[in-house]
Short mmCIF file of all heavy atoms in Angstrom, two decimals:
data_model
loop_
_atom_site.label_atom_id
_atom_site.label_comp_id
_atom_site.label_asym_id
_atom_site.label_seq_id
_atom_site.Cartn_x
_atom_site.Cartn_y
_atom_site.Cartn_z
N SER V 346 -12.57 -17.11 -7.08
CA SER V 346 -12.40 -16.16 -8.17
C SER V 346 -13.76 -15.65 -8.66
O SER V 346 -13.88 -14.50 -9.06
CB SER V 346 -11.60 -16.78 -9.32
OG SER V 346 -12.15 -18.01 -9.68
N ASN V 347 -14.78 -16.53 -8.59
CA ASN V 347 -16.13 -16.07 -8.90
C ASN V 347 -16.53 -14.91 -8.01
O ASN V 347 -17.03 -13.90 -8.46
CB ASN V 347 -17.14 -17.21 -8.67
CG ASN V 347 -17.62 -17.76 -10.01
OD1 ASN V 347 -17.48 -17.09 -11.03
ND2 ASN V 347 -18.16 -18.95 -9.99
N GLN V 348 -16.29 -15.13 -6.72
CA GLN V 348 -16.69 -14.11 -5.76
C GLN V 348 -15.92 -12.83 -5.99
O GLN V 348 -16.47 -11.74 -5.90
CB GLN V 348 -16.43 -14.60 -4.34
CG GLN V 348 -17.38 -15.71 -3.97
CD GLN V 348 -17.91 -15.52 -2.57
OE1 GLN V 348 -17.58 -14.54 -1.92
NE2 GLN V 348 -18.71 -16.45 -2.12
N PHE V 350 -14.73 -11.89 -8.79
CA PHE V 350 -15.25 -11.28 -10.00
C PHE V 350 -16.56 -10.54 -9.70
O PHE V 350 -16.72 -9.39 -10.06
CB PHE V 350 -15.46 -12.34 -11.07
CG PHE V 350 -15.88 -11.73 -12.39
CD1 PHE V 350 -14.96 -11.04 -13.14
CD2 PHE V 350 -17.17 -11.84 -12.83
CE1 PHE V 350 -15.32 -10.47 -14.35
CE2 PHE V 350 -17.54 -11.27 -14.03
CZ PHE V 350 -16.63 -10.58 -14.79
N ASN V 351 -17.46 -11.24 -9.01
CA ASN V 351 -18.73 -10.61 -8.65
C ASN V 351 -18.48 -9.33 -7.87
O ASN V 351 -19.09 -8.32 -8.13
CB ASN V 351 -19.56 -11.56 -7.77
CG ASN V 351 -20.35 -12.55 -8.64
OD1 ASN V 351 -20.41 -12.39 -9.85
ND2 ASN V 351 -20.92 -13.54 -8.00
N VAL V 354 -17.24 -6.54 -10.07
CA VAL V 354 -18.32 -5.97 -10.84
C VAL V 354 -19.11 -5.01 -9.96
O VAL V 354 -19.41 -3.89 -10.33
CB VAL V 354 -19.25 -7.07 -11.39
CG1 VAL V 354 -20.52 -6.45 -11.96
CG2 VAL V 354 -18.53 -7.88 -12.45
C1 NAG H 1098 -21.29 -14.72 -9.14
O1 NAG H 1098 -21.25 -15.72 -8.15
C2 NAG H 1098 -22.12 -16.82 -8.41
C3 NAG H 1098 -22.01 -17.74 -7.21
O2 NAG H 1098 -22.30 -17.02 -6.06
C4 NAG H 1098 -21.73 -17.52 -9.68
O3 NAG H 1098 -22.60 -18.60 -9.95
C5 NAG H 1098 -21.76 -16.54 -10.82
O4 NAG H 1098 -21.28 -17.16 -11.97
C6 NAG H 1098 -20.92 -15.30 -10.48
N1 NAG H 1098 -21.14 -14.31 -11.49
C7 NAG H 1098 -20.20 -13.97 -12.32
C8 NAG H 1098 -20.55 -12.92 -13.29
O5 NAG H 1098 -19.09 -14.49 -12.29
#
Side-chain angles (χ1 to χ4, degrees):
S346 51
N347 254 341
Q348 290 223 2
F350 186 72
N351 276 350
V354 169

